[in-house]
Amino acid sequence: MDTNALRWFQQVADGVTVTEVSELEGTTQSGVSRALARLEAEVGTPLLRRTGRTLRMTHAGVAFKRHVDAVMHELDDGLAAVQQLVEPETGTVTLAFQPSLGTWLVPDLVGGFRAAHPGVRFVLQPKRDELVTSLHPRGEIDLELSTLRVGSRAVRWRRLAREPLHLAVPAGHRLADRGRVALAESADQPFIAIRPSSVLRQQCDELCRRAGFTAEIAFECDDLPTIRGFVAAGLGVAIVPAARDSVADPATGSVHLGITDDGAARDIGMSWATERRLLPAAELFRAHVADRTAAGRLLAGPER
């Protein structure tokens, strides 16, 4: 089958008019119409029907398009793979990441990689739901950085580091000069917490439960910088990852205390779909992350 006809069928099925397709592809309207007609003849049934001035998919067209989308996705990946083999320092890495890693780990890893491979482009996608992986065999995501360990054969997970969790308290708080505390010592305090759809929130709730109390949630926030700001304003305490050098420095006016309770740390990992072949650029980045991990530099802060 003519791949141009398949692409034009995809576009028309998605609502693009034949006129628009012809303008985008630099061909004639009659050329597009003839290609679609040849495609329908090869399939053996109409795929599109005219409704007024637009073309809509028939039932056969709907069934056919799902497979066309999959085939063209594989074809595009194949073409990209060949291009990257010819030019190994080009390509695109699509990286999903947990937002709490976006102020320090992601810019550190991407910056270090781009210093050695400036021709590689990145598409960065913060995870909206931290409790669900972004990885799928036919998805767009190459790699994912998060604290979610997926229990599925379809996803490979590699632990990169174990990051301590701290109790953030306002400066001048009765625990501020302690250095390290048992979480039960904060049981009577109002807590600032991240939203329930966060992996960190689930871990914080579990730590408090093990310590013998249910935290009184005074405020729920969408991100860690906001939580740290609320703590600095004296509105409560919070369980947060260890503060690190980042684009957005931790808020002043708060103190981070080590937590002595067992399990007061989170595992940071890298994941990828086992059934999705990584293109060379993504393989290069995965190797870069692995090298940083093996050298023990992952939690050491940005490379200078």
Side-chain angles (χ1 to χ4, degrees):
M1 289 184 176
D2 181 359
T3 55
N4 282 338
L6 292 173
R7 293 190 191 280
W8 296 344
F9 167 70
Q10 281 182 302
Q11 291 174 294
V12 172
D14 286 336
V16 182
T17 67
V18 171
T19 300
E20 291 169 334
V21 171
S22 67
E23 292 173 350
L24 289 169
E25 300 294 334
T27 188
T28 63
Q29 294 183 41
S30 60
V32 174
S33 296
R34 285 195 299 270
L36 294 175
R38 287 195 301 270
L39 179 61
E40 290 182 324
E42 290 178 318
V43 174
T45 188
L47 301 173
L48 299 163
R49 58 181 172 79
R50 183 167 295 280
T51 302
R53 301 180 63 182
T54 61
L55 291 173
R56 306 289 186 190
M57 284 186 289
T58 62
H59 291 304
V62 172
F64 185 59
K65 185 173 184 295
R66 289 196 296 269
H67 298 281
V68 172
D69 289 343
V71 168
M72 299 310 292
H73 178 80
E74 291 292 335
L75 176 61
D76 289 340
D77 272 359
L79 294 172
V82 171
Q83 179 60 34
Q84 290 188 31
L85 289 173
V86 174
E87 298 288 345
E89 291 299 321
T90 65
T92 300
V93 179
T94 303
L95 179 66
F97 61 92
Q98 198 165 304
S100 62
L101 305 177
T103 59
W104 64 280
L105 182 60
V106 175
D108 179 22
L109 291 175
V110 172
F113 179 83
R114 283 290 300 269
H117 308 280
V120 175
R121 177 175 172 265
F122 278 81
V123 176
L124 303 177
Q125 296 192 9
K127 288 166 59 68
R128 293 183 178 180
D129 187 347
E130 296 180 11
L131 303 179
V132 178
T133 182
S134 304
L135 298 166
H136 303 284
R138 298 190 184 278
E140 299 294 330
I141 304 298
D142 294 316
L143 298 162
E144 180 176 285
L145 295 171
S146 76
T147 60
L148 175 69
R149 184 164 189 165
V150 181
S152 168
R153 292 183 180 180
V155 176
R156 176 79 179 275
W157 186 88
R158 174 177 178 173
R159 190 177 112 173
L160 304 177
R162 191 162 176 80
E163 183 182 35
L165 295 178
H166 289 172
L167 182 69
V169 303
H173 189 276
R174 61 178 174 80
L175 298 174
D177 60 352
R178 291 284 301 279
R180 292 173 63 80
V181 296
L183 198 54
E185 297 179 75
S186 63
D188 62 339
Q189 298 294 297
F191 272 74
I192 316 298
I194 202 152
R195 63 188 182 280
S197 60
S198 165
V199 179
L200 178 61
R201 173 63 177 274
Q202 289 195 340
Q203 189 171 8
C204 292
D205 289 347
E206 178 62 17
L207 282 171
C208 291
R209 187 191 66 78
R210 291 181 184 176
F213 70 98
T214 299
E216 176 197 341
I217 307 300
F219 298 95
E220 285 185 348
C221 304
D222 287 332
D223 55 69
L224 290 175
T226 302
I227 288 177
R228 292 189 174 107
F230 273 49
V231 172
L235 298 175
V237 302
I239 300 173
V240 296
R244 302 191 176 279
D245 291 339
S246 64
V247 175
D249 292 331
T252 58
S254 64
V255 178
H256 281 212
L257 309 175
I259 299 174
T260 60
D261 301 56
D262 291 338
R266 64 177 187 170
D267 287 331
I268 298 172
M270 177 171 60
S271 305
W272 58 93
T274 55
E275 297 180 8
R276 185 176 191 275
R277 179 178 52 83
L278 292 180
L279 297 179
E283 286 283 12
L284 280 174
F285 182 70
R286 183 168 68 176
H288 169 74
V289 176
D291 289 345
R292 286 291 304 274
T293 302
R297 298 201 312 271
L298 196 72
L299 300 185
E303 295 178 306
R304 304 300 183 188

